Amino acid sequence: MSAMIAITTRLAAALLAAAVLGGCASGKKAPDWAINEQGAAERATDAYLSGNSRVADAEWRRARDEVSRTARPDLLARLELARCAAQVAALDAAPCTGFEAVAQDAADAEQAYARYLQGQLAAGDVALLPKAQQAVAPLAPAQAAAALAAIEDPLSRLVAAGVLAARGPVPMAVVTQAVDTASAQGWRRAVMAWLINQQRLARELGDTALAEQVQRRLDLLQATQK
């Protein structure tokens, strides 16, 4: 099976897994570049969401180097979308420049996923998205809490929550799910981003107790960074 399909469940959505890559060569050994790319992309995503930018950048470079051996910009586009998805999961609004550089060679599914990550779905895009995102994609943020909770994979759930946040204000139920998801994985960067979002919303709602509780959690995160 292709290593870009045979990835961990946690990374399936971000790397576009079977929904993007299609079938696999069952019984055939994956090429070395694909195995190396898979491992580097997994480590990069984990390091980024955990707040270790130095390791994340190094692993993304390693993954890019491996994919570049194929001379296929379409495969590089898929990898860059994984990086974009990690940014969205952590509420990082920085542009996905890596994908933009190879976007012209990306297939329809990658183009649809890129628009989705930007909160700008076009007609017909939903069917092209990774399966985990399809139920949430057409919903308004206020209606998405139940569909979000049904996503089993933590990264997929956090990506979906990040997309909802990019599209507009999200309800507390969505923010709380995102906080809990990131916290359970120990993804420090994502936890902090979503906690800040939760505290802001709690203050807007006049929930002083929750805002103070969130501050204690933020204090703990900041103390462990020292």
Side-chain angles (χ1 to χ4, degrees), residues 144-158:
L148 191 68
I151 298 177
E152 295 183 3
D153 172 61
L155 180 58
S156 299
R157 190 184 313 125
L158 209 57

Side-chain angles (χ1 to χ4, degrees), residues 128-199:
L128 297 174
L129 297 178
K131 198 164 186 178
Q133 308 296 326
Q134 291 180 9
V136 176
L139 300 178
Q143 303 169 329
L148 191 68
I151 298 177
E152 295 183 3
D153 172 61
L155 180 58
S156 299
R157 190 184 313 125
L158 209 57
V159 169
V163 170
L164 290 170
R167 287 164 49 191
V170 290
M172 183 63 80
V174 168
V175 176
T176 299
Q177 285 188 56
V179 168
D180 291 346
T181 299
S183 175
Q185 300 302 312
W187 288 332
R188 184 196 303 271
R189 184 196 300 270
V191 175
M192 182 169 291
W194 282 102
L195 280 175
I196 290 171
N197 191 292
Q198 187 179 43
Q199 186 179 60

